[in-house]
Amino acid sequence: MALTITPIPAFNDNYIWALHQADGQTVVVDPGDAEPVKAWLSANGATLAGILITHHHPDHTGGLDALLAMTSPVPVYGPAGGHIRQINHTVKEGDQLSILDHDFEVLETPGHTLDHIVYFHPGASDTSAPDDGDTADLGNPPWLFCGDTLFAGGCGRIFEGNPAMMYGSLQKLASLPAATQVYCAHEYTLANLAFAASADPDNGDLKQRQVDERNKRDKQHPTLPSTICLEQRTNPFLRCHSPSLQATVEQQVSHKLTSGLELFTALRRLKDQA
Ligand SMILES: [Zn+2]
């Protein structure tokens, strides 16, 4: 059965992604707050069938108790590490899950937290046939639910890991298929792109993206999902091989940067101070 993916806004700028089937069965990703999820389920006649968790921060897990209290037991997938007691299926790198008849693979992406994981659905291996000609049928493109690791035009802060870990995690995500639709957990895009433009001022794709994303926000539309292809062209944290980005950042930090990791580390520090 086809899956539709809908953002449920929470707090100031979180998105709780709802994956739902026509029969109402719904899996949510990172429910930091139960109330908007309950309201959405009720408005759509939907039933909670499972929960995916990317990491332990409260704005991704705070709704678990209240959601689990209102349903019969459902699978709650998430990282090992002991931070999140509501998880009943701990998963790790390479694990395969079936979510509403769709296959997902777990990738470990330490950096923002040490136990951060993401969920990747490789569209090509999906066997559900488009049965109704509905163009909203998202059965085929790959999907990535990446929590606070990769953002549109940016990346998560490094709270628990180190720059090398985060750089490696982002490179892992950047190597996913270009068409992968990227479902991040926050609407940070315009601020991220403003910072990106200061570090990568000659990037024409980035300038165009600022216009496109501002138009979406003016209409109060989400800027997500993004795609890996768009991030590769416009997200400076995935562009640490770019000579012009390197030259600008070297000027800003007043010293030479001799590797992609050094450029990434300097960029992340500049963004933290922005
Ligand atoms: Zn977080």
Side-chain angles (χ1 to χ4, degrees), residues 10-82:
F11 307 116
N12 286 332
D13 50 31
N14 285 64
Y15 291 129
I16 299 167
W17 294 102
L19 291 64
H20 50 109
Q21 296 183 157
D23 66 0
Q25 295 288 302
T26 299
V27 167
V28 296
V29 185
D30 285 351
D33 188 0
E35 288 312 313
V37 176
K38 284 187 189 174
W40 188 91
L41 291 169
S42 144
N44 290 278
T47 310
L48 188 66
I51 297 174
L52 303 179
I53 298 291
T54 62
H55 69 292
H56 65 80
H57 285 157
D59 63 320
H60 298 251
T61 57
L64 282 171
D65 280 340
L67 287 175
L68 295 172
M70 72 170 204
T71 64
S72 46
V74 297
V76 182
Y77 296 94

Side-chain angles (χ1 to χ4, degrees), residues 54-60 112-113 116 147-148 151 157 159 186:
T54 62
H55 69 292
H56 65 80
H57 285 157
D59 63 320
H60 298 251
H112 178 70
T113 64
H116 199 296
D148 288 354
F151 290 129
R157 281 178 186 263
F159 285 123
H186 288 274

Side-chain angles (χ1 to χ4, degrees), residues 175-254:
S175 73
L176 294 173
T180 302
Q181 300 200 301
V182 178
Y183 294 87
C184 323
H186 288 274
E187 180 61 67
Y188 289 160
T189 310
L190 292 186
N192 283 341
L193 294 179
F195 171 78
S198 73
D200 199 7
D202 300 325
N203 184 334
D205 290 335
L206 174 53
K207 286 190 183 116
Q208 182 58 49
R209 186 177 187 188
Q210 284 185 287
V211 173
D212 296 343
E213 306 296 19
R214 196 171 297 123
N215 284 340
K216 290 182 200 164
R217 295 309 293 151
D218 285 347
K219 295 174 191 148
Q220 290 166 2
H221 295 166
T223 59
L224 303 172
S226 177
T227 62
I228 289 295
C229 176
L230 185 57
E231 295 310 315
Q232 284 170 338
R233 288 191 282 121
T234 59
N235 186 330
F237 294 98
L238 301 191
R239 296 178 54 73
C240 292
H241 53 278
S242 156
S244 63
L245 174 70
Q246 179 177 344
T248 306
V249 175
E250 282 179 346
Q251 226 168 24
Q252 291 175 348
V253 300
S254 307

